Amino acid sequence: MRRIISMLMENEPGALSRVVGLFSQRGYNIETLNVAPTDDPTLSRLTLTTADSDLRIEQLTKQLNKLVDVVKLADLTEGAHIERDMMLIKVRAAGVARHEVKRTTDIFRGQIVDVGPEVYTIQIIGTSEKLDAFVAAMSDVDILEVVRSGVAGISRGEKVLSL
Amino acid sequence: MELLSGGEMIARALEDEGVEYIFGYPGGAVLHIYDALFKDCKVPHILVRHEQAATHAADGYARATGKPGVVLVTSGPGATNAITGIATAYMDSIPMVVLAGQVQSHLIGEDAFQETDTVGISRPIVKHSFMVKRTEDLPIMIKKAFHIAASGRPGPVVIDIPKDLTRPDAKYEYHYPETVKMRSYAPAQRGHTGQIKKAAKLLLAAKRPIIYAGGGVLLGDASEQLTQLAKRLNYPVTKTLMGLGAYPGSDRQCLGMLGMHGFYEANMAMHNSDCILAIGARFDDRVTNTVEKFCPGAKVIHIDIDPASISKIIIADVPIVGPVQPVLTELLAQISLLREKDNSLPDQSALDLWWQQIEEWRAAQGLFTGRRYGESDMIMPQQVIQSLYRATKGDAFITSDVGQHQMFAAQYYPFDKPRRWINSGGLGTMGFGLPAAMGVKLAFPDMDVACVTGEGSIQMNIQELSTCTQYNSAIKIINLRNNNLGMVTQWQDMQYEGRYAMSTYEDSLPDFVKLVEAYGHVGMQVTKLADLDDAMDEAFAMKDKLVFLDVIIDPNEHVYPMHIAPNGSMKDMWLSKNERT
C-alpha cells in the first residue's frame, strides 16, 4: 500500500543522507521525497511516499525511528490527512493547442505562471493523482519539462506532528 | 574555566569519561591529538600494526568489560582500514567510539591528501556519527558519542574530526558534561507491564516451552535474571552463538547452542516447542533456517531493547520492548504474582514429558553423549577444544576467528559465565580473534585469554604478533590447523561435489613456530593426540608468554550438526557426512 511518512528531523549535516541511505540499505523504494525547514530552525520536516506491505512498512518506520537524527515520525496514511504535490509543467502551446492547454489548465484549477510565444509554463497543485491526471490530459500536447515537488502532507484536525 | 586546544580537549575528555585504553595508529590528520596525548593524558594508548586490529582490540575489550572500546585513527586509509572492525561491532551491537582524523576543514571536498568521506563510508555500519564543525563542540560530541554507543542497543559511534579543529594554538573553554540529554534519542527504560503480564500467562500455560537467549542478555547484563527465571520454571534454555555464557553452559537445563551448527537437542526442542521465549535474540538466518518452516507450533514472546528487532523475521505473539534486565525482573515478579493469585504454575506433567523427550534427543545425538566426531589417527579439532577446556578449567576468556574452529569452540567449550566468549557472530570477520584477545588481555591481565583460530584466519591479522610483543600480551593462540579453509571446503564438499576452488594454499604456509619466534614469542607444534594435553598445560603454564600452539588436526573433519539448507526447517540437520535427520 502507498504510504506517506512524515518526520521531524534534526537540522544537522548528514541527517538526510541517513534517511535516504536507510532506504537503499534495506531495499525500500522512495517514490517522492520532500525536505524543507520548519518554523523551528533546528528542525527539518521530511515527507516521503513509498509503497510496500504492511509488515515491511512497520519495519521501515521502526528503522527510521531508530535513526538518532529522527526526532518524530508519523505515517500520515494511518489517519485522515491532506496531501499536496506541486508541479511545474512546460508545454508547447502554439496554434490550436494554445487555447486547449489554457482550457484544461482552468479545469484543473492550475495557473499559467509563465508565457512565451510558443510555450506555457503551468503550475498545478493537488494530490499526486490529480497531477498524474493532468499529465495524462496533456497527452496530445508536446510536454517539454515536468518538475514536481514531491508530496507534502499534514494530518487533519487537531493531530499535529511536533515536539 | 580552563582553556584547552581541540587536541587537549580530546585527551581530557577521554580521561573524564574514564576510558582505560585507546587503541590506535597515528597519522597526519591526528598528529595534534597524538601530541596532546603524549604531553598530558593518563589514558594509555595501544599502538596496533593495522587500524582494523585497533577496532577489533577495542571491540574485544568492550565485549569482555561491557564498557565502550575507544579507537583513534587518522583520515583516509586510517579510517577505511577501521571500517571492517566498525562493521563487526555494529553487527554484534558492541559499544565503541571511533575518533577519526579528517583533513583540514577548508580542504574537505577537494580530494585532499588522505581525504575520504568517513561519515559517508561508515554511515550504514554505525549507530550514529558526528562531524565536528567547531572546536567548542568537541566535549559535548564526545559525551554524546559515549552515551549513544553504550545505551539502548549498543553500537559503534564515529566522530570525524578535521585537523584544524585540534590545532594547539586555538584554545577554548573546556567543560565536560556529566550527563547528556537528547530529544531525538531516548531508548526504552522498562517494558510494558501489560505485555509482561501476557508473557507470564503464556509462559505458564506452555507445555513444551523453550527459552531462546541471545547476545542481548549479555549486553543487558541479565544473565542472573535469566538463570533465575529458567531455574524457577525448570524450562530448557538454548543460546545463540552470541548468547553463549548468558546461561551456564554446563547446567542440565542448558541445551547448548542452536542454529546452523547448533546442538541436535536444541534445534529439535525449538522446532517442537509450543512457546518460545526469545530474549535479546534476533532470529538471525543462521538460527531460523527457512523462515516459512520455522517452529510451526510455537507462540513467540520476544523481549528486545530494539523495537526493530521484534517481528522483523518472525512475528512475535507477545512483543516486549525494553532492556532485558528490568523486563526479566518484572516477568519473575509477575510469575510469582500469578502463583499467589491464581495458583498458576507450569503444567508439571507436560513439563516432565517434555524433559523426557529432550533427554532422549540429548542421549541419542548430543555432542557429549552420542558420537559426534570422526575417528582417525590424527587429532580431531573437537579434542583440541576439550583439551583447552580442561587446561583452563572452563574459566578462560576465549576469542575466536571465523570458520570451523569457531564452531568447534562454540560447541565444545561450555561457557558458564557471561562475556567469556568473544567472537564475530554477525559479520563473521576473519582476523578478529588475535586483536580481540589483545583487548581482552589488557582488561583482564591476570586471566587466561586464548584465541582459537585456524591457519586461514590468523593470517588476516598476524601482524599483531608484533603489538603483542610491545605490550607483553601473554595470550595463548590455539591454531586448529587443517591446512585448508575448512568452512569453505565443508560447503564445497556438501554443495559443490568436493571441488575445492581456492580453498587450499598448496605449500605456501609459513612455519608458524619460527614465525612467532621471530616476533619473540613461544611456538609449539603438536601432531599427536598423546602430546596434546601436555602441550596445552605447558602453554598455559607460561603465564607471561604469548604461546602459539600449532595443532595439526584431521583435515577431513567437518562441523556437525549442520542445518540442511536451502529449504530445511530447524529440525533438518546433517548429523555427519552421510547421516541426516
Side-chain angles (χ1 to χ4, degrees):
Chain A
M1 195 187 131
R2 176 176 174 269
R3 304 291 187 132
I4 305 171
I5 293 168
S6 196
M7 53 191 115
L8 285 172
M9 224 167 53
E10 296 286 1
N11 189 7
E12 295 279 348
L16 178 61
S17 74
R18 287 181 219 276
V19 172
V20 175
L22 193 144
F23 274 74
S24 58
Q25 185 184 344
R26 296 196 181 264
Y28 292 89
N29 291 314
I30 298 178
E31 287 178 0
T32 74
L33 174 68
N34 168 293
V35 199
T38 63
D39 57 326
D40 179 344
T42 66
L43 289 173
S44 312
R45 176 82 175 230
L46 182 149
T47 311
L48 60 84
T49 58
T50 182
D52 219 317
S53 67
D54 288 357
L55 254 180
R56 297 244 314 154
I57 293 289
E58 184 188 325
Q59 176 64 204
L60 170 67
T61 52
K62 284 173 171 178
Q63 294 290 355
L64 286 168
N65 256 320
K66 254 171 78 172
L67 295 176
V68 171
D69 285 332
V70 172
V71 187
K72 268 200 171 167
L73 178 147
D75 179 349
L76 295 180
T77 22
E78 276 178 354
H81 63 278
I82 297 160
E83 59 168 289
R84 290 291 180 268
D85 199 346
M86 195 268 279
M87 175 165 67
L88 295 171
I89 175 167
K90 192 177 283 185
V91 297
R92 181 78 57 206
V96 269
R98 200 164 172 88
H99 186 64
E100 194 50 37
V101 169
K102 171 78 172 73
R103 257 168 44 98
T104 313
T105 303
D106 289 343
I107 292 167
F108 278 82
R109 297 188 193 178
Q111 290 163 295
I112 296 173
V113 291
D114 188 48
V115 178
E118 303 261 301
V119 295
Y120 278 156
T121 300
I122 303 148
Q123 168 190 299
I124 185 152
I125 295 169
T127 62
S128 301
E129 237 180 342
K130 173 176 165 174
L131 270 49
D132 293 342
F134 184 79
V135 174
M138 290 283 118
S139 61
D140 292 339
V141 180
D142 193 5
I143 297 172
L144 301 172
E145 203 177 345
V146 173
V147 184
R148 289 168 72 153
S149 64
V151 172
I154 199 162
S155 294
R156 284 191 183 274
E158 295 281 321
K159 206 171 158 191
V160 291
L161 184 66
S162 67
L163 292 188
Chain B
M1 210 178 278
E2 205 174 357
L3 293 179
L4 296 180
S5 72
E8 289 162 348
M9 283 185 183
I10 292 166
R12 184 68 65 80
L14 295 180
E15 278 180 8
D16 289 348
E17 189 57 43
V19 172
E20 286 184 303
Y21 292 100
I22 304 164
F23 300 89
Y25 205 103
V30 285
L31 282 177
H32 293 326
I33 303 174
Y34 270 89
D35 195 49
L37 292 178
F38 184 86
K39 279 187 188 149
D40 182 24
C41 183
K42 292 182 192 74
V43 188
H45 176 278
I46 306 299
L47 176 69
V48 292
R49 298 297 178 267
H50 185 289
E51 288 88 348
Q52 183 188 346
T55 51
H56 291 329
D59 183 322
Y61 168 89
R63 289 178 202 239
T65 62
K67 292 184 258 183
V70 177
V71 177
L72 173 57
V73 293
T74 192
S75 65
T80 56
N81 277 348
I83 290 294
T84 300
I86 298 172
T88 304
Y90 178 73
M91 287 293 275
D92 290 342
S93 309
I94 304 305
M96 180 184 290
V97 173
V98 179
L99 303 155
Q102 183 54 277
V103 299
Q104 299 185 62
S105 308
H106 73 274
L107 294 175
I108 290 176
E110 294 185 358
D111 301 318
F113 177 65
Q114 293 195 327
E115 178 184 0
T116 197
D117 176 7
T118 304
V119 166
I121 281 185
S122 63
R123 189 194 45 71
I125 50 158
V126 294
K127 184 170 174 188
H128 194 55
S129 48
F130 294 98
M131 173 80 166
V132 188
K133 298 273 181 196
R134 305 183 319 153
T135 305
E136 307 91 289
D137 296 338
L138 271 167
I140 183 76
M141 278 191 178
I142 292 172
K143 185 74 207 179
K144 279 183 181 172
F146 277 94
H147 171 62
I148 293 170
S151 58
R153 179 180 181 173
V157 177
V158 165
I159 313 180
D160 200 31
I161 309 163
K163 183 173 185 179
D164 50 310
L165 301 188
T166 57
R167 46 188 262 226
D169 55 331
K171 305 216 176 204
Y172 299 88
E173 283 184 356
Y174 172 84
H175 165 71
Y176 196 68
E178 279 191 12
T179 56
V180 67
K181 259 195 100 166
M182 297 175 70
R183 62 181 177 184
S184 60
Y185 176 75
Q189 297 300 314
R190 54 188 296 276
H192 187 279
T193 302
Q195 293 294 92
I196 296 172
K197 265 186 201 159
K198 265 193 218 165
K201 280 188 188 150
L202 195 58
L203 266 183
L204 290 176
K207 296 199 186 304
R208 298 182 307 281
I210 186 160
I211 299 173
Y212 153 45
V217 177
L218 300 170
L219 295 165
D221 290 321
S223 297
E224 203 186 306
Q225 288 73 12
L226 167 64
T227 308
Q228 271 179 36
L229 179 74
K231 287 287 168 200
R232 170 94 63 92
L233 298 172
N234 186 28
Y235 284 3
V237 183
T238 180
K239 296 166 297 184
T240 67
L241 178 66
M242 293 309 300
L244 300 182
Y247 182 85
S250 54
D251 185 82
R252 178 191 65 86
Q253 279 170 251
C254 177
L255 309 190
M257 180 171 76
L258 81 170
M260 175 160 278
H261 292 297
F263 285 37
Y264 175 80
E265 57 268 41
N267 284 345
M268 291 302 280
M270 280 292 283
H271 186 83
N272 289 286
S273 83
D274 68 344
C275 179
I276 296 171
L277 173 62
I279 313 171
R282 59 187 177 88
F283 297 89
D284 180 87
D285 57 80
R286 283 296 186 272
V287 162
T288 59
N289 211 353
T290 311
V291 167
E292 292 73 26
K293 296 181 179 173
F294 179 76
C295 304
K299 295 261 185 217
V300 173
I301 304 164
H302 194 170
I303 305 169
D304 206 291
I305 183 87
D306 176 8
S309 280
I310 296 176
S311 298
K312 181 173 75 173
I313 313 283
I314 300 294
I315 310 276
D317 296 283
V318 182
I320 303 170
V321 177
V324 286
Q325 198 195 82
V327 170
L328 287 181
T329 304
E330 198 176 341
L331 184 59
L332 275 160
Q334 289 293 349
I335 287 169
S336 301
L337 211 65
L338 284 173
R339 176 182 301 182
E340 285 161 27
K341 267 193 359 208
D342 313 330
N343 202 24
S344 287
L345 287 167
D347 179 341
Q348 203 50 55
S349 57
L351 198 56
D352 286 346
L353 275 174
W354 182 227
W355 269 115
Q356 197 184 324
Q357 171 68 73
I358 290 171
E359 293 302 348
E360 276 171 30
W361 285 324
R362 175 142 55 189
Q365 298 290 349
L367 289 183
F368 298 97
T369 46
R371 178 187 58 82
R372 281 273 53 84
Y373 50 86
E375 285 171 3
S376 76
D377 293 339
M378 301 192 76
I379 300 174
M380 304 309 284
Q382 298 91 338
Q383 293 169 327
V384 185
I385 305 300
Q386 287 176 316
S387 177
L388 171 65
Y389 183 78
R390 183 198 52 77
T392 56
K393 301 179 179 64
D395 199 29
F397 284 92
I398 306 292
T399 75
S400 102
D401 271 305
V402 171
Q404 288 182 323
H405 63 268
Q406 175 189 25
M407 292 301 118
F408 290 129
Q411 290 180 334
Y412 287 88
Y413 199 111
F415 293 90
D416 281 340
K417 293 178 186 164
R419 298 190 180 279
R420 291 298 175 85
W421 168 240
I422 314 279
N423 88 130
S424 167
L427 197 68
T429 309
M430 290 171 71
F432 174 82
L434 170 55
M438 298 180 336
V440 176
K441 188 69 181 171
L442 282 164
F444 295 95
D446 299 329
M447 292 284 301
D448 284 332
V449 179
C451 164
V452 175
T453 186
E455 78 289 325
S457 284
I458 193 68
Q459 292 188 90
M460 281 214 189
N461 264 322
I462 199 154
Q463 76 286 345
E464 297 309 315
L465 286 172
S466 172
T467 312
C468 292
T469 311
Q470 186 170 353
Y471 300 99
N472 296 322
S473 190
I475 58 177
K476 308 294 175 253
I477 299 172
I478 315 298
N479 189 32
L480 269 60
R481 176 156 164 201
N482 56 7
N483 293 329
N484 66 69
L485 296 173
M487 194 55 95
V488 174
T489 57
Q490 175 159 353
W491 281 70
Q492 288 170 334
D493 267 335
M494 304 190 83
Q495 301 197 350
Y496 301 88
E497 297 165 330
R499 292 186 296 279
Y500 298 138
M502 306 304 140
S503 50
T504 56
Y505 325 90
E506 297 171 1
D507 287 330
S508 62
L509 286 176
D511 178 333
F512 284 105
V513 171
K514 277 190 190 155
L515 182 72
V516 299
E517 282 171 0
Y519 281 105
H521 305 305
V522 178
M524 293 159 67
Q525 193 177 67
V526 188
T527 55
K528 291 197 195 76
L529 182 61
D531 302 332
L532 179 62
D533 279 349
D534 286 347
M536 197 68 81
D537 289 337
E538 199 185 331
F540 281 94
M542 286 183 255
K543 290 284 173 206
D544 55 351
K545 285 280 183 194
L546 185 153
V547 183
F548 187 105
L549 208 57
D550 192 25
V551 189
I552 310 300
I553 58 164
D554 186 337
N556 296 312
E557 182 61 356
H558 286 341
V559 186
Y560 300 102
M562 180 181 187
H563 265 157
I564 295 169
N567 300 321
S569 70
M570 284 220 69
K571 70 170 176 15
D572 300 320
M573 289 168 267
W574 288 103
L575 300 171
S576 70
K577 250 174 207 162
N578 34 36
E579 292 165 87
R580 47 175 292 179
T581 51

